[in-house]
Amino acid sequence: MDFNIAYKLNNAISKRRSFRSFIQETLDDALMEDLIDFISALEPPAGDEIDWNFDTLPYIDMVKICSREPGIKAPHYLVLRAERKQFCLQMSAYIGEMAILFLTSKGVATRWLGNMDIAEDFPDTLPFVAAIAFGRSEEEFRDGSYLDRLPANKTCFGQYAKYRDIMDAARFAPSEQNKQPCAFIADERSNIHVYRKKVLFNNPIISYAQCLDSGVAMAHLQVAAIATGHQYAELYRLSSPPIFKNMIYQGTLAVEGRK
């Protein structure tokens, strides 16, 4: 990712929020084309050999594939799809959050949509993963003055002081019902490992949401790393990650690039 793009996305981290309402006016074609070009150029974490795609749908088409009205009415929806493989949820959420930061940098409001019930998707598409509502809003963006997040000593471990700006960007990432399931561990080899807490009774609905939360956090990690001068920062998956009690490995950011 180019430094200038990462810098703009990093500034958007402190401004982004989940909007409750949208103006029912479509965005101009040039902005929509820029969004599509941006998403199409994204490179998911290295090693994720997972087919994925996306659609930008108007409200009327979103209603067609849902079994009921979307929880939020917006002029546009970003629909994320991927083949069912390990880490497909994390990868899709990484792509979706990158799109959210891009839209935020353009002054466009966004909201992750939970509990979407897709009745029948369009033919010949990959399985649905998640959706994001977006458009203009009369609500204000966040000014970055306050974030309701757990303190750093509850979620960031290891070389936190060395990578504070990067790890805080991930700590400030949104999560389902603000449960903040992720932990970030920086080691002596310039790696930041991302884990999520094991879900009680392995509840599949909560696990699904927290896999998405992990992908969102990894998007923030990489953006912040590149924006703070680590141009070779790369996300990938370790084949044999460190094991921590009651934690599930999600991915690793090599801050200085993989060596």
Side-chain angles (χ1 to χ4, degrees):
M1 181 185 299
D2 177 80
F3 167 80
N4 291 325
I5 294 175
Y7 182 81
K8 292 176 182 177
L9 300 186
N10 194 47
N11 286 340
I13 287 175
S14 63
K15 298 177 182 178
R16 71 154 305 282
R17 52 164 289 202
S18 295
F19 285 78
R20 297 181 179 87
S21 62
F22 295 85
I23 299 170
Q24 301 307 308
E25 297 177 0
T26 58
L27 300 175
D28 64 76
D29 292 343
L31 179 52
M32 293 297 292
E33 289 174 6
D34 287 346
L35 171 65
I36 291 169
D37 288 345
F38 172 78
I39 297 174
S40 299
L42 288 174
E43 296 181 2
D48 282 0
E49 296 180 358
I50 302 169
D51 286 340
W52 64 278
N53 60 34
F54 68 95
D55 271 335
T56 55
L57 300 180
Y59 174 76
I60 190 170
D61 282 348
M62 195 68 196
V63 170
K64 287 178 182 178
I65 67 173
C66 291
S67 60
R68 61 180 183 271
E69 291 270 322
I72 295 289
K73 186 175 182 179
H76 303 282
Y77 298 85
L78 174 62
V79 175
L80 302 164
R81 302 185 182 95
E83 64 175 323
R84 289 288 184 258
K85 293 177 71 173
Q86 186 180 25
F87 296 123
C88 68
L89 303 182
Q90 293 87 337
M91 182 201 70
S92 297
Y94 166 89
I95 293 164
E97 187 65 10
M98 286 291 195
I100 282 178
L101 294 178
F102 175 86
L103 288 166
T104 300
S105 74
K106 302 292 186 180
V108 178
T110 61
R111 185 183 184 90
W112 279 101
L113 298 177
N115 301 318
M116 291 294 293
D117 190 1
I118 302 301
E120 186 175 354
D121 208 341
F122 294 110
D124 303 319
T125 59
L126 293 168
F128 172 87
V129 174
I132 297 164
F134 66 100
R136 303 292 181 187
S137 177
E138 293 179 348
E139 299 174 31
E140 297 291 332
F141 283 90
R142 197 176 63 222
D143 62 9
S145 59
Y146 175 74
L147 281 169
D148 181 19
R149 298 291 188 268
L150 292 170
N153 63 4
K154 298 291 185 181
T155 56
C156 299
F157 306 96
Q159 304 296 308
Y160 172 67
K162 184 176 181 180
Y163 298 116
R164 177 169 184 164
D165 289 345
I166 301 172
M167 296 172 80
D168 278 350
R171 186 166 66 88
F172 295 155
S175 58
E176 176 74 12
Q177 298 181 6
N178 200 27
K179 289 183 178 179
Q180 303 166 66
C182 294
F184 311 98
I185 305 165
D187 65 21
E188 300 285 350
R189 301 179 64 187
S190 300
N191 293 315
I192 301 176
H193 308 291
V194 181
Y195 288 78
R196 65 179 176 88
K197 302 169 188 173
K198 286 185 177 178
V199 175
L200 188 64
F201 306 123
N202 199 28
N203 184 301
I205 296 175
I206 297 175
S207 294
Y208 192 103
Q210 294 189 356
C211 286
L212 295 176
D213 294 341
S214 301
V216 169
M218 286 189 280
H220 283 222
L221 264 185
Q222 187 177 39
V223 164
I226 296 173
T228 53
H230 305 280
Q231 62 178 324
Y232 299 110
E234 182 182 5
L235 283 169
Y236 69 109
R237 318 280 184 191
L238 292 172
S239 57
S240 299
I243 298 173
F244 296 93
K245 186 178 180 180
N246 297 323
M247 302 295 288
I248 303 173
Y249 175 73
Q250 302 296 287
T252 295
L253 177 77
V255 179
E256 307 297 342
R258 286 191 286 174
K259 303 193 171 54

